[in-house]
Amino acid sequence: MSAKSETYADVRKQIASVIAGETSLTARYATAACLLREAFGERFFWTGFYLVDPDKPAELVVGPYQGTLGCLRIPFGKGVCGAAAASGETQLVEDVHAFPGHIACDSRSNSEIVVPVRDASGALVAVLDVDSTEFGAFDTEDQAGLEAICGDLLTVA
C-alpha cells in the first residue's frame, strides 16, 4: 500500500470515528472537508461539498467547505461538479481549463476531482469537490480513496 493510500485509509477511519452517531449532514460534510484538507494540505486547495438543492433538484448549492470562496450554485451538467451530478460518476480532470463548460470559481484551480455522494438508498445527495492549483494533481489512487470516504459518509451510523 502506498503512502497516499495509507493516508486515505487513516482519514477514512478518522472521519468514520468522528461522525459515528452524528445525525446532522452539515456536521458530517464539514468534518470530512476539514479532515481531508488537513491530511492533504495545499494539494487540496479547495475541498468541500455541493448539495443537491431539495427546492431546485437540478441544481447543486454550496455546502461545507475549506478554501477560498466557492460558487454558490451549479446547474446539473455544467462544469465538473455538474457533470458528476448529471452522470452520477466521478470526474477526474487533469486540466480544468480544457474541460468543456468549466466553471472557474477560483482561477488558481488547475485540476479537479468530483465524487458523487449517495445516501443509504443510493440517491445522489451531494458531490465532493476537490480542486488543486497543480495540474494533474489527482489520480486513480485519489479516486479510490475519495470514493471510499464518500461511500461511507452517509451510510455509516
Side-chain angles (χ1 to χ4, degrees), residues 17-154:
S17 174
V18 173
I19 67 172
E22 179 53 62
T23 58
S24 167
L25 296 182
T26 302
R28 286 173 169 257
Y29 295 137
T31 297
C34 177
L35 291 175
L36 283 165
R37 173 64 190 256
E38 289 297 314
F40 292 101
E42 286 301 313
R43 185 166 70 96
F44 279 41
F45 172 71
W46 196 95
T47 308
F49 293 86
Y50 282 94
L51 316 177
V52 176
D53 186 337
D55 296 325
K56 296 180 179 181
E59 285 185 11
L60 298 168
V61 62
V62 71
Y65 67 91
Q66 302 273 313
T68 59
L69 184 64
C71 297
L72 295 184
R73 292 190 169 272
I74 299 173
F76 278 36
K78 300 287 184 185
V80 182
C81 290
S87 70
E89 296 178 3
T90 297
Q91 303 293 305
L92 180 60
V93 181
E94 292 185 3
D95 179 356
V96 295
H97 309 290
F99 190 88
H102 170 65
I103 302 168
C105 299
D106 189 315
S107 62
R108 294 173 287 178
S109 291
N110 288 310
S111 63
E112 187 170 3
I113 185 169
V114 181
V115 180
V117 178
R118 299 181 184 286
D119 65 15
S121 74
L124 179 74
V125 293
V127 297
L128 168 62
D129 180 21
V130 183
D131 291 31
S132 181
T133 57
E134 303 168 27
F135 287 95
F138 308 109
D139 58 22
T140 55
E141 204 170 1
D142 293 293
Q143 181 173 343
L146 293 171
E147 286 177 347
I149 288 167
C150 288
D152 292 347
L153 198 56
L154 301 183

